[in-house]
Amino acid sequence: MEKRRLNKYLSEIGVCSRRKADQLIETGRIRVNGEIPVLGLKVNENDEISVDGKLVQKVEKKAVYILYNKPVGITCTTDLRVKGNIIEAVNYPTRIFPIGRLDKPSEGLILLTDDGDIVNKILRARNHHEKEYLVTVNKSITKKFLKRMREGVPILDTVTRPCVVEKLGDMKFKIILTQGLNRQIRRMCQYLSYNVQTLKRVRIMNIKLDIPSGDWRALRPRELRK
């Protein structure tokens, strides 16, 4: 029987993402056959794995993939102690978690799933997956602002990738990113002396936002295939 790295195995059976699995291993919260595992340990279905003393079992089920139109004020965390957390807002009957995040003042499209393995595939920066946003700022947009945003802005000890930026109104623009730095658009605007007033994500790859704020729906078969 094929063995896989423990973090990959846990993500495949929907327990958590690989990154979270590594954190659980490092903090000693996982046992494999009663022993504390090391990072990189390989396991298979015959191994007895527990998290916080609870036995983990592979359940043969169809993975869940959800599109949620996150309202402003909802926090993208699975920590139920946080008021306004995304898990309670969606209120899905089984355990799911968000793929990536939108900060609390932002709104729009975010995906949730119980498939831990797909998280890395979608978020991996080298895959250059497109994410499209509609943004309003606090003052008139100039040609210089558009040029600088398109070419790249120095934030977080790097320079942002060249991106598509299109002016939609005096203080509104569309931006398509292929990376996901922390609060990237807000930081880019702030560097150029603009403040973001509203920020809405309307597309991730081929998946477009098409439901009212606060609603969710399952991804369609054609969306999943692509």
Side-chain angles (χ1 to χ4, degrees):
M1 190 173 290
E2 181 187 359
K3 283 184 172 279
R4 284 154 288 177
R5 289 171 66 100
L6 178 56
N7 61 356
K8 185 174 190 295
Y9 179 74
L10 290 174
S11 72
E12 285 176 350
I13 66 174
V15 173
C16 58
S17 68
R18 293 191 197 185
R19 182 179 297 178
K20 179 65 175 177
D22 285 339
Q23 292 173 356
L24 293 173
I25 295 167
E26 289 174 341
T27 53
R29 294 170 59 189
I30 293 181
R31 297 289 185 275
V32 177
N33 302 323
E35 302 290 335
I36 299 175
V38 296
L39 287 173
L41 177 72
K42 291 189 175 182
V43 298
N44 61 31
E45 287 82 355
N46 290 333
D47 289 303
E48 186 178 277
I49 302 168
S50 61
V51 179
D52 294 332
K54 186 176 180 180
L55 194 63
V56 170
Q57 293 182 327
K58 184 174 183 179
V59 179
E60 296 296 339
K61 62 181 179 65
K62 190 174 181 180
V64 174
Y65 303 98
I66 286 174
L67 180 161
Y68 176 50
N69 188 349
K70 184 189 94 66
V72 171
I74 298 299
T75 303
C76 291
T77 179
T78 58
D79 188 345
L80 301 182
R81 296 170 297 181
V82 176
K83 186 177 179 180
N85 67 81
I86 194 170
I87 301 304
E88 290 183 338
V90 174
N91 195 28
Y92 195 76
T94 60
R95 179 187 173 278
I96 55 173
F97 47 86
I99 301 176
R101 68 188 306 274
L102 275 173
D103 58 21
K104 189 174 180 179
S106 300
E107 61 182 316
L109 194 165
I110 186 162
L111 303 175
L112 296 100
T113 185
D114 59 356
D115 178 2
D117 204 36
I118 202 171
V119 175
N120 292 318
K121 296 174 183 176
I122 291 178
L123 298 182
R124 196 171 288 134
R126 66 172 179 268
N127 287 340
H128 289 225
H129 293 312
E130 288 188 351
K131 288 169 286 187
E132 182 177 336
Y133 302 81
L134 302 179
V135 187
T136 59
V137 287
N138 63 327
K139 57 184 179 180
S140 296
I141 295 168
T142 63
K143 289 182 179 179
K144 182 179 179 182
F145 171 83
L146 294 172
K147 183 175 185 291
R148 292 295 306 276
M149 291 286 283
R150 289 169 182 149
E151 292 177 348
V153 174
I155 61 169
L156 299 173
D157 299 321
T158 187
V159 177
T160 58
R161 286 177 186 159
C163 61
V164 174
V165 183
E166 179 184 338
K167 185 175 180 179
L168 300 177
D170 184 47
M171 294 185 286
K172 185 175 182 178
F173 66 93
K174 174 179 77 175
I175 182 168
I176 300 174
L177 301 179
T178 56
Q179 64 186 139
L181 302 176
N182 182 33
R183 297 173 65 88
Q184 180 171 343
I185 297 171
R186 295 180 187 275
R187 292 178 190 273
M188 291 171 73
C189 290
Q190 191 172 34
Y191 180 83
L192 299 173
S193 301
Y194 283 74
N195 290 324
V196 169
Q197 303 297 298
T198 66
L199 192 157
K200 183 175 186 177
R201 184 158 62 197
V202 296
R203 179 172 64 88
I204 297 176
M205 299 156 61
N206 60 304
I207 302 166
K208 297 179 180 179
L209 187 65
D210 58 0
I211 54 175
S213 179
D215 284 1
W216 62 265
R217 67 167 175 82
L219 291 191
R220 301 182 179 105
R222 66 176 180 275
E223 292 171 326
L224 283 170
R225 282 195 300 270
K226 189 165 183 179

